[in-house]
C-alpha cells in the first residue's frame, strides 16, 4: 500500500498500485485557527437552533443537567481524540485509529460508522435551513405539515447539497477561508442573542414553576441522545479529519480539539439558560411537554418575535441559513476525507484517493453528494435524522477509547505530542459513556442503525473480498482474532437496548439496572479488546501508512 508520505506534489506520478497513474496528495495549508474553526463551525450548526427547545420539551428545566452530562461525555471523548490526533496526523483520522490497533475488521467497521455519520450530517443541516426558511412566504411550500420535504423542497435540498460540494471543489484553502468567515458569524449571533434575551427577558421563576425535573431522570437521559444535545455538541473531530492538510498537526490538533469543545459547550449551555428564562409563562402553562407558541418551528426566532424583539428574529432567521450551511459545508469535506482514509486502509476502491489539481478528493465529494440526496428520502425530517446520526456518531467515537487503550498498552514509548493525564481511567470511562449515549437513543433508532451497519458490511466487505482475491496492493487483512469482541459488542448493546426502556424497548430491564448493565458490559468489552489487540510489531506495520510530520509541518 502506498504510504501518505510517498505521495508526490500535484502533477507528479508516484504510482497508485499500477505504477503509472498520476497521484496527487492532499495539501498541508490549514493552520491552528483553520482547524479550530472547522471544529467550532461544525459544533455550532443547526443544533443551536433546535437543541434548546427539543431538550426542554423532553426534560423540562432539568435539560441543563442533560447538557452537563452531554458536555462531560464529549469532553472525555475529546481528550482521548486529542492524544490520538497528535500521534496520527492523517486524513480521516477517526476512521483509521481502530485499524492501527485491531486490524482490518475493526478498522472497516469503525470506518463505516465514521463515514455514515459524516455523510448524514450535511442533509440534516439542509433540512434545518429549509425548516427555518419556512418563515418567509416563498419557502412555505418546501415542507409538509409533518415536517417532511415536498417535491419543491426536495429540489431546493438537492441544490443546497450541490452548493456544499461545489465550494469544496475550490480546494482546502478556499474552504478554510469560507468556513472561517461563516464561523465568526456563527459564534457572534448566538452570543448576541444570549445577551439580548438575558437583558430584556429573564424570568428566574421559569426554572421551578412546574418543577425543575418534571419528567425525572428518564427525561434527563433521553434528552442527552434523543433531543439533539449530543448531536449539537458533536463536531470537534473535524480538526482530526483535516489532519492530513494541517501545517503543524502534532501541535495544533490537540489545541483545536479541546478549544472547540470548550467554546461550543459554553455557548450551548448559555443558550439553554436564556431560552428557558425568556419564555412567557403562558407558553408552558400546560406543561413543558406541551410547550407551544407562534413560530415554535423556528424556536429562537419565534421566541424573539413573541417577546417583542422582531428585529432580533430577523437576525436569527438570517443566521439560520448561515449556521447550518457552514456545518453542512465542513461535513461534506469530512465525508470525502474519511472515504480517502477508508481507501488508504483498503476498505474502499482507490478511486476515493484521487484528488484534483486543487487537492480536493473529487470522487469522495461526488459520493458525499449522492449519499446526502439519498438521506432526504428515508429520513426527511430533522428530528428523525437527529436520533439516527447521534447513534452513528457516538458509535464512531467509541472506537477511539478502545484504540487509545490498546496503543497505550502496546506502544507505551511511542512519541505523543499530547499525553492525556489519567488516560487509563479516562479511556474506559469515555467508552462507557459512549455506550450509554448509544443506549439512550432507544431501540427505535438503534434498530435502524443496525440495518445501516449491515449494509456497510455488505458494501465494504464485498470490496475487501474482491481486493484480496485480485491481489490488489491495498487489500486489507481482516485480523479476526483482534476484533473478536466487536460482534459481541454490537449484538450485546442491541440486545440490552431491545430489553431496555428507551425508544420502544420492551422495558423488561428497569431503570438504573439498565445503566448498570450497559456500564459493566462496556467495561468487559473494553478490557477484552485491549487484551486481544494486535501485537506491537503488527501495529507498527499498520502505522507505516501514517505520514510522518515534523514540528515544522513539512
Amino acid at each position: 500500500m502506498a504510504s501518505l508520505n510517498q505521495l508526490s506534489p500535484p502533477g507528479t506520478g508516484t504510482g497508485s498500485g499500477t505504477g503509472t497513474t498520476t497521484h496527487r496528495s492532499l495539501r498541508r495549508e490549514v493552520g491552528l485557527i483553520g482547524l479550530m474553526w472547522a471544529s467550532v463551525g461544525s459544533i455550532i450548526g443547526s443544533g443551536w437552533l433546535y437543541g434548546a427547545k427539543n431538550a426542554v420539551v423532553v426534560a423540562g428545566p432539568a435539560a441543563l443537567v442533560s447538557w452537563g452530562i452531554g458536555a462531560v461525555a464529549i469532553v472525555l471523548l475529546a481528550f482521548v481524540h486529542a492524544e490520538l490526533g497528535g500521534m496520527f496526523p492523517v486524513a480521516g483520522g477517526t476512521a483509521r485509529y481502530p485499524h492501527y490497533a485491531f486490524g482490518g475488521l475493526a478498522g472497516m467497521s469503525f470506518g463505516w460508522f465514521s463515514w455514515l455519520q459524516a455523510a448524514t450530517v450535511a442533509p440534516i443541516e439542509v433540512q434545518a435551513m429549509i425548516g427555518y426558511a419556512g418563515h418567509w412566504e416563498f419557502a412555505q411550500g418546501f415542507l409538509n405539515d409533518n415536517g417532511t420535504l415536498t417535491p419543491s423542497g426536495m429540489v431546493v435540498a438537492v441544490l443546497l447539497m450541490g452548493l456544499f460540494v461545489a465550494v469544496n471543489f475550490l480546494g482546502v484553502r478556499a474552504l478554510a477561508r469560507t468556513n472561517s468567515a461563516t464561523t465568526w458569524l456563527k459564534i457572534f449571533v448566538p452570543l448576541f442573542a444570549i445577551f439580548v434575551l438575558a437583558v430584556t427577558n429573564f424570568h428566574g421563576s421559569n426554572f421551578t414553576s412546574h418543577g425543575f425535573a418534571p419528567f425525572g431522570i428518564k427525561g434527563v437521559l433521553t434528552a442527552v441522545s434523543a433531543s439533539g444535545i449530543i448531536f449539537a455538541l458533536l463536531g470537534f473531530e473535524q480538526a482530526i479529519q483535516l489532519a492530513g492538510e494541517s501545517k503543524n498537526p502534532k501541535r495544533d490538533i490537540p489545541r483545536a480539539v479541546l478549544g472547540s469543545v470548550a467554546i461550543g459547550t459554553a455557548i450551548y449551555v448559555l443558550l439553554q439558560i436564556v431560552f428557558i428564562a425568556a419564555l412567557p409563562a403562558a407558553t408552558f402553562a400546560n406543561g413543558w411537554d406541551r410547550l407551544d407558541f407562534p413560530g415554535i418551528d423556528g424556536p429562537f426566532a419565534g421566541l424573539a418575535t413573541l417577546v417583542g424583539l422582531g428585529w432580533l428574529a430577523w437576525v436569527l432567521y438570517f443566521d439560520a441559513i448561515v449556521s447550518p450551511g457552514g456545518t453542512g459545508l465542513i461535513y461534506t469535506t469530512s465525508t470525502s476525507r474519511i472515504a480517502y482514509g477508508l481507501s488508504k486502509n483498503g476498505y474502499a476502491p482507490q478511486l476515493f484517493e484521487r484528488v484534483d489539481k486543487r487537492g480536493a478528493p473529487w470522487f469522495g465529494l461526488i459520493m458525499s453528494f449522492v449519499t446526502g440526496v439519498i438521506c432526504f428520502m428515508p429520513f426527511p425530517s430533522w428530528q428523525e435524522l437527529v436520533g439516527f446520526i447521534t447513534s452513528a456518531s457516538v458509535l464512531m467515537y467509541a472506537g477511539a477509547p478502545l484504540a487509545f487503550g490498546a496503543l497505550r498498552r502496546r506502544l507505551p514509548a511511542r512519541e505523543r505530542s499530547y499525553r492525556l493525564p489519567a488516560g487509563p481511567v479516562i479511556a474506559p470511562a469515555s467508552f462507557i459513556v459512549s455506550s450509554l449515549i448509544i443506549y439512550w437513543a432507544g431501540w427505535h433508532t438503534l434498530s435502524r442503525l443496525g440495518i445501516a451497519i449491515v449494509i456497510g458490511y455488505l458494501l465494504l466487505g464485498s470490496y475487501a473480498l474482491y481486493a484480496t482475491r485480485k491481489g490488489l496492493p491495498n487489500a486489507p487483512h481482516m485480523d479476526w482474532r483482534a476484533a473478536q469482541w466487536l460482534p459481541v459488542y454490537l449484538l450485546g448493546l442491541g440486545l440490552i437496548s431491545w430489553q431496555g426502556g428507551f425508544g420502544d424497548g420492551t422495558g423488561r430491564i428497569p431503570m438504573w439496572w439498565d445503566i448498570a448493565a450497559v456500564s459493566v458490559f462496556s467495561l468487559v468489552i473494553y478490557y477484552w479488546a485491549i487484551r486481544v489487540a494486535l501485537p506491537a510489531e503488527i501495529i507498527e506495520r499498520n502505522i507505516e501508512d501514517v505520514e510522518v510530520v515534523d514540528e515544522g509541518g513539512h
Side-chain angles (χ1 to χ4, degrees), residues 1-224:
M1 194 191 315
S3 64
L4 282 174
N5 59 338
Q6 291 171 332
L7 298 180
S8 301
T12 61
T14 64
S16 58
T18 65
T20 59
T21 303
T22 298
H23 204 102
R24 297 185 177 99
S25 66
L26 300 174
R27 297 182 178 183
R28 292 195 174 273
E29 299 179 333
V30 185
L32 173 60
I33 297 301
L35 290 172
M36 184 178 295
W37 263 204
S39 289
V40 173
S42 298
I43 293 172
I44 309 298
S46 63
W48 93 263
L49 300 171
Y50 293 96
K53 186 269 287 186
N54 290 337
V56 80
V57 168
V58 174
L64 289 171
V65 179
S66 303
W67 283 102
I69 294 171
V72 169
I74 295 300
V75 167
L76 289 174
L77 289 167
F79 274 129
V80 170
H81 279 78
E83 176 169 314
L84 292 172
M87 288 176 68
F88 307 118
V90 292
T94 54
R96 305 178 78 176
Y97 306 145
H99 167 84
Y100 301 143
F102 303 108
L105 180 59
M108 180 181 73
S109 301
F110 284 96
W112 172 247
F113 305 154
S114 300
W115 187 88
L116 183 67
Q117 177 263 348
T120 49
V121 169
I124 200 175
E125 301 302 330
V126 167
Q127 182 75 19
M129 294 168 72
I130 292 174
Y132 254 82
H135 168 74
W136 290 295
E137 186 174 351
F138 76 90
Q140 290 177 358
F142 295 160
L143 290 178
N144 294 309
D145 292 339
N146 62 357
T148 59
L149 292 169
T150 63
S152 59
M154 182 71 74
V155 171
V156 173
V158 171
L159 290 174
L160 288 171
M161 282 295 304
L163 179 61
F164 295 160
V165 172
V167 173
N168 270 272
F169 269 111
L170 297 177
V172 69
R173 181 177 294 176
L175 173 72
R177 289 173 178 171
T178 302
N179 186 65
S180 293
T182 59
T183 301
W184 281 110
L185 183 63
K186 290 166 69 173
I187 292 175
F188 172 76
V189 172
L191 289 176
F192 182 65
I194 289 167
F195 174 77
V196 172
L197 289 172
V199 169
T200 60
N201 293 271
F202 195 95
H203 312 295
S205 59
N206 285 4
F207 292 92
T208 56
S209 61
H210 284 62
F212 180 72
F215 311 112
I217 187 63
K218 186 173 182 178
V220 170
L221 299 180
T222 300
V224 175

Side-chain angles (χ1 to χ4, degrees), residues 465-486:
L465 181 61
Y466 167 79
T468 300
R469 288 184 174 179
K470 290 291 186 180
L472 298 182
N474 71 334
H477 189 276
M478 286 291 101
D479 299 299
W480 297 94
R481 182 183 179 278
Q484 59 187 261
W485 49 271
L486 180 57

Side-chain angles (χ1 to χ4, degrees), residues 140-487:
Q140 290 177 358
F142 295 160
L143 290 178
N144 294 309
D145 292 339
N146 62 357
T148 59
L149 292 169
T150 63
S152 59
M154 182 71 74
V155 171
V156 173
V158 171
L159 290 174
L160 288 171
M161 282 295 304
L163 179 61
F164 295 160
V165 172
V167 173
N168 270 272
F169 269 111
L170 297 177
V172 69
R173 181 177 294 176
L175 173 72
R177 289 173 178 171
T178 302
N179 186 65
S180 293
T182 59
T183 301
W184 281 110
L185 183 63
K186 290 166 69 173
I187 292 175
F188 172 76
V189 172
L191 289 176
F192 182 65
I194 289 167
F195 174 77
V196 172
L197 289 172
V199 169
T200 60
N201 293 271
F202 195 95
H203 312 295
S205 59
N206 285 4
F207 292 92
T208 56
S209 61
H210 284 62
F212 180 72
F215 311 112
I217 187 63
K218 186 173 182 178
V220 170
L221 299 180
T222 300
V224 175
S225 291
S227 72
I229 286 178
I230 288 295
F231 170 77
L233 292 171
L234 295 174
F236 66 82
E237 81 284 354
Q238 296 310 312
I240 296 171
Q241 312 297 25
L242 291 173
E245 291 147 285
S246 169
K247 293 178 181 177
N248 195 343
K250 289 189 176 180
R251 182 197 67 186
D252 291 346
I253 288 174
R255 297 179 182 182
V257 167
L258 298 178
S260 65
V261 170
I263 293 171
T265 299
I267 290 175
Y268 277 117
V269 170
L270 291 173
L271 283 167
Q272 184 69 74
I273 291 172
V274 298
F275 183 80
I276 294 172
L279 285 167
T283 62
F284 56 92
N286 295 319
W288 286 105
D289 57 337
R290 293 180 175 85
L291 176 68
D292 191 32
F293 54 86
I296 194 171
D297 290 338
F300 271 99
L303 175 59
T305 302
L306 183 66
V307 298
L309 299 172
W311 61 271
L312 178 61
W314 281 101
V315 174
L316 296 177
Y317 281 122
F318 172 73
D319 188 64
I321 304 298
V322 175
S323 285
T327 301
L329 176 66
I330 201 66
Y331 266 99
T332 302
T333 309
S334 177
T335 304
S336 64
R337 272 55 176 183
I338 292 173
Y340 183 99
L342 284 170
S343 179
K344 277 293 175 185
N345 285 340
Y347 311 131
Q350 289 182 305
L351 189 59
F352 284 99
E353 298 175 41
R354 304 286 179 83
V355 298
D356 64 16
K357 62 183 180 180
R358 291 187 177 92
W362 60 269
F363 188 72
L365 288 172
I366 291 173
M367 291 307 298
S368 70
F369 170 78
V370 172
T371 306
V373 172
I374 292 173
C375 282
F376 293 127
M377 299 176 186
F379 301 105
S381 68
W382 195 89
Q383 197 60 41
E384 284 289 310
L385 276 167
V386 163
F388 182 81
I389 293 173
T390 297
S391 300
S393 300
V394 183
L395 192 53
M396 168 193 81
Y397 289 129
L402 298 174
F404 179 99
L407 292 168
R408 276 285 187 99
R409 182 186 180 100
R410 295 286 195 262
L411 305 177
R414 187 175 181 87
E415 179 187 356
R416 290 163 168 81
S417 59
Y418 168 78
R419 178 175 285 270
L420 175 62
V425 175
I426 291 177
S430 65
F431 184 65
I432 291 173
V433 169
S434 298
S435 300
L436 285 170
I437 293 171
I438 296 168
Y439 169 70
W440 292 331
W443 173 243
H444 175 74
T445 297
L446 293 190
S447 58
R448 295 186 178 193
L449 182 60
I451 295 172
I453 291 173
V454 171
I455 292 173
Y457 279 132
L458 291 175
L459 291 174
L460 300 186
S462 297
Y463 176 77
L465 181 61
Y466 167 79
T468 300
R469 288 184 174 179
K470 290 291 186 180
L472 298 182
N474 71 334
H477 189 276
M478 286 291 101
D479 299 299
W480 297 94
R481 182 183 179 278
Q484 59 187 261
W485 49 271
L486 180 57

